[in-house]
Amino acid sequence: MRIGGFLKHSLIDWEGMITAVIFTRGCNFRCGYCHNPSLVLPGLFNETEDIESEEILSYLNIRKQWIDGVVISGGEPTVHPDLPEFIKLVRNAGYRIKLDTNGSNPVMLKELVSAGLVDFVAMD
């Protein structure tokens, strides 16, 4: 999965929760109002390096007492076929998961919800 950003602490991305936010690269939409064009437009991807999932998981493993959950946003996370496997790794580290999605991949969304891999979904 291509990760383009990581916010170590957020108090606003999941009401009542202290979270870390992971931003995936890539999106199947090109909304004019997108607030993350560097994650959406392929021409901007190479301006920064991807963040390795191991780096994020390492951070999360040592911050369990300070973070309630993890938000996975983007771009559009569901364009990544390995999203369920990544979520399992975060879930196994003991975190609740919120997914921010545009809802354009109902098959992936159903898979994630049916498997109990997400605790909250925000769709816009």
Side-chain angles (χ1 to χ4, degrees):
M1 189 167 73
R2 295 196 64 190
I3 300 171
F6 181 51
L7 182 59
K8 294 180 177 182
H9 298 98
S10 173
L11 301 175
I12 63 170
D13 285 280
W14 191 351
E15 187 176 346
M17 305 276 280
I18 300 170
T19 64
V21 184
I22 298 165
F23 297 93
T24 62
R25 290 193 195 270
C27 184
N28 53 340
F29 289 177
R30 296 294 181 268
C31 304
Y33 55 83
C34 181
H35 64 279
N36 289 328
S38 64
L39 299 171
V40 171
L41 302 174
L44 299 177
F45 284 5
N46 294 328
E47 291 185 11
T48 59
E49 292 185 25
D50 286 353
I51 300 169
E52 296 297 324
S53 59
E54 294 81 15
E55 177 183 338
I56 292 171
L57 292 168
S58 175
Y59 177 84
L60 293 174
N61 280 324
I62 61 174
R63 296 294 193 276
K64 289 180 188 179
Q65 69 275 17
W66 300 105
I67 300 172
D68 301 314
V70 174
V71 176
I72 301 176
S73 188
E76 173 52 40
T78 65
V79 300
H80 299 277
D82 55 346
L83 177 63
E85 290 77 27
F86 179 76
I87 290 177
K88 287 176 189 174
L89 294 172
V90 176
R91 170 80 75 201
N92 288 339
Y95 289 99
R96 297 179 67 201
I97 308 291
K98 176 187 173 208
L99 178 69
D100 289 343
T101 178
N102 63 25
S104 65
N105 189 345
V107 173
M108 170 75 77
L109 191 54
K110 182 177 180 181
E111 176 186 343
L112 295 172
V113 171
S114 295
L117 293 176
V118 292
D119 300 290
F120 192 94
V121 176
M123 192 177 307
D124 62 8

